[in-house]
Structure formats: C-alpha cells, structure tokens
Amino acid sequence: MRYAIRYHEISSDWMVFNVGDGFELVGMHTSEKDAVDQVKILEKQASKQARFNNHAIEQAA
C-alpha cells in the first residue's frame, strides 16, 4: 500500500499521504469514509498504471 490515512486532531481532518515516493499530502477530508474512498481510487489507478508500464517495458525489450 502506497497511501496512509491519518487524523489531524487540531483541524479535525482526515489526511491522505502518498508514502511510496517520499511523503506527500494528496488529500484532506472531513470524514474517514471519504479518505478511505480516495485511497481505494488512488490504489486502483496506481495498479492500472503499473500494469501499463510493465507491459510497455516488456514490449520495448
């Protein structure tokens, strides 16, 4: 999993971080459900991109 969800007590926001390539804030949400939904979408996109990149590398070789 490339993404982490953390709750910020001062702002009462749920924050989504990309922890795969460093540490980058990619979203802030008012509910945990919204943060989890964003992570699911991001993971699905990353999976699709990884399959495409692997296929392109195999064809180039």
Side-chain angles (χ1 to χ4, degrees):
M1 181 179 220
R2 296 177 41 152
Y3 299 94
I5 299 172
R6 297 289 179 257
Y7 181 72
H8 190 267
E9 291 184 20
I10 295 172
S11 67
S12 300
D13 288 325
W14 290 90
M15 299 182 293
V16 177
F17 293 95
N18 180 345
V19 294
D21 299 324
F23 194 78
E24 176 185 7
L25 177 65
V26 294
M28 295 178 68
H29 302 277
T30 56
S31 73
E32 183 178 15
K33 181 190 179 313
D34 290 343
V36 170
D37 289 344
Q38 182 187 16
V39 167
K40 288 178 183 177
I41 291 168
L42 291 170
E43 289 287 350
K44 187 175 181 179
Q45 289 173 345
S47 174
K48 284 182 181 179
Q49 187 177 18
R51 280 185 283 161
F52 175 77
N53 287 342
N54 288 341
H55 182 68
I57 290 170
E58 289 173 5
Q59 285 184 342

